[in-house]
Amino acid sequence: MLKNVAAVLLDGFTPFELGVLCEVFGTDRTDEGLPSYDFAVVAGEPGPLRSEAGFTLETPFDLERIKQADLIAVPAVRGDVARCESRQFPEPLLAALHDGIGRGARVLSVCTGAFILGAAGLLDGRRCTTHWRHAKDLARMFPAADVDPSVLYVDDDPVITSAGTAAGIDACLYLVRKEQGTRVANAIARRMVVPPHRDGGQAQFVERPVAELTADTLSDVIGWMEQHLDEQVSIAELATRAAMSARTFARRFVQETGTTPQRWLTGQRILLAQQLLEESDATVDVVAERSGFGNATALRHHFRAWRATTPYAYRRQFRDPAAPAAAAVTSPVVGS
């Protein structure tokens, strides 16, 4: 269930990360046939709250509002505030986060919001992430957390953590896709003019060649790959299309996308399979063929590895609102 969302702010909050939550969950898109969310900005401590940019914000909602939320979202606070070990985050907020988890809500952090979750003990024994600049501090301050500094976001249900800035968008769209399907997530992404999906296991930052400023990017080849997901294609064939050696192509692809060609293809094929399962009555065999997996056995293998469920169970989830939500996990480490 994803209907009621509360974004909780503390003094020193960062405007962009708050804006991400407001844009994804606080914008009414019902005129486009998309679901609406009961969205509220909540003061996690007495206000007015001052942003990192210097302006102040007041909201009529206090921590009582969290009790209604299916999703409690915690945007970033200023880095020096988050990392300050003498900073005592408000106990009522930490207790409210615990209570939310206890009654079945999800908690999502953006960037340094992970430090608040750590203070609440919600990262203990969980894989998590934050902005790469703050990952060492997060791991040092909360040694029971399994901090992965290299990924965009981590879903260790019911806790989702994400890296800085745009990775918060990725995490939010991932959750929308998980709960409400490909069509809804893609439509929101289209309105926001952002990529509809970046795999959680993708690197937080990608290398850009410095010495080869005149070199062409791989955008044309990647565009071709997107239009031919149902075709079996080798790295050598893609390299030829890019007028590169296979080794140079593979290296350049990782530099430009943060992941390998094969992993990128598999992820895009999974997304296409999800869309076909949600929106068509095609058999699993046909879905497998159209999405480039070739046969149902291969589709089931990859679908379970990437989505921790079967194609049949995934389809039932979106065809039958009463069916239990399928489990979801982030993908393996980049390059695997």
Side-chain angles (χ1 to χ4, degrees):
M1 179 186 297
L2 184 58
K3 295 182 178 179
N4 193 304
V5 180
V8 188
L9 301 186
L10 292 178
D11 198 50
F13 73 91
T14 58
F16 182 92
E17 283 76 5
L18 171 61
V20 166
L21 299 170
C22 292
E23 178 65 24
V24 175
F25 300 112
T27 300
D28 184 357
R29 300 183 177 92
T30 53
D31 60 334
E32 298 180 35
L34 297 175
S36 63
Y37 306 99
D38 186 353
F39 178 78
V41 175
V42 173
E45 60 186 340
L49 305 176
R50 181 175 294 275
S51 77
E52 182 183 42
F55 64 83
T56 57
L57 181 147
E58 293 187 70
T59 173
F61 299 105
D62 59 19
L63 291 174
E64 190 69 20
R65 174 63 175 76
I66 289 180
K67 296 179 180 179
Q68 308 169 33
D70 310 314
L71 173 66
I72 305 169
V74 184
V77 291
R78 202 172 65 236
D80 61 322
V81 172
R83 299 192 311 270
C84 180
E85 295 186 49
S86 64
R87 166 71 146 104
Q88 296 296 313
F89 294 115
E91 286 296 333
L93 169 59
L94 304 185
L97 293 172
H98 263 288
D99 291 344
I101 293 291
R103 62 176 172 76
R106 285 193 176 92
V107 174
L108 180 151
S109 68
V110 183
C111 194
T112 54
F115 285 80
I116 301 171
L117 304 193
L122 299 183
L123 301 184
D124 292 355
R126 284 193 167 97
R127 184 167 169 257
C128 59
T129 194
T130 188
H131 192 290
W132 60 268
R133 292 184 60 188
H134 307 301
K136 287 184 179 179
D137 289 315
L138 185 68
R140 174 178 52 81
M141 292 172 63
F142 307 106
D146 179 10
V147 181
D148 187 341
S150 65
V151 297
L152 295 178
Y153 55 88
V154 174
D155 179 4
D156 197 329
D157 205 17
V159 176
I160 300 173
T161 51
S162 63
T165 55
I169 300 174
D170 298 317
C172 290
L173 291 177
Y174 160 80
L175 180 57
V176 170
R177 185 183 303 276
K178 177 178 178 178
E179 287 295 306
Q180 296 169 315
T182 301
R183 183 188 68 83
V184 174
N186 286 357
I188 294 175
R190 190 161 50 248
R191 275 283 297 268
M192 294 176 65
V193 197
V194 297
H197 177 79
R198 289 198 298 170
D199 172 29
Q202 185 170 317
Q204 285 194 27
F205 55 92
V206 297
E207 300 175 21
R208 293 289 181 178
V210 175
E212 302 179 71
L213 294 178
T214 60
D216 292 334
T217 69
L218 299 178
S219 57
D220 289 344
V221 175
I222 291 173
W224 184 90
M225 292 164 70
E226 289 175 333
Q227 298 301 316
H228 297 81
L229 293 175
D230 60 330
E231 298 181 17
Q232 299 304 309
V233 60
S234 68
I235 301 302
E237 291 169 331
L238 293 172
T240 299
R241 182 172 290 275
M244 299 176 184
S245 69
R247 179 175 296 182
T248 298
F249 173 80
R251 184 179 69 250
R252 183 70 62 77
F253 199 95
V254 173
Q255 289 173 336
E256 293 202 11
T257 69
T259 191
T260 65
Q262 189 58 53
R263 181 176 172 79
W264 185 92
L265 272 172
T266 301
Q268 295 301 310
R269 286 168 173 164
I270 288 288
L271 291 175
L272 178 56
Q274 286 180 245
Q275 183 175 353
L276 293 170
L277 290 167
E278 293 170 24
E279 299 179 2
S280 78
D281 294 316
T283 66
V284 172
D285 287 295
V286 171
V287 169
E289 183 177 350
R290 290 181 182 175
S291 57
F293 288 106
N295 58 69
T297 300
L299 172 60
R300 282 192 289 267
H301 168 77
H302 288 290
F303 211 88
R304 185 175 290 280
W306 283 67
R307 294 294 180 258
T309 188
T310 65
Y312 173 78
Y314 183 85
R315 169 172 275 169
R316 187 178 62 181
Q317 176 187 350
F318 288 98
R319 295 296 179 90
D320 179 8
V329 296
T330 55
S331 305
V333 176
V334 171
S336 61

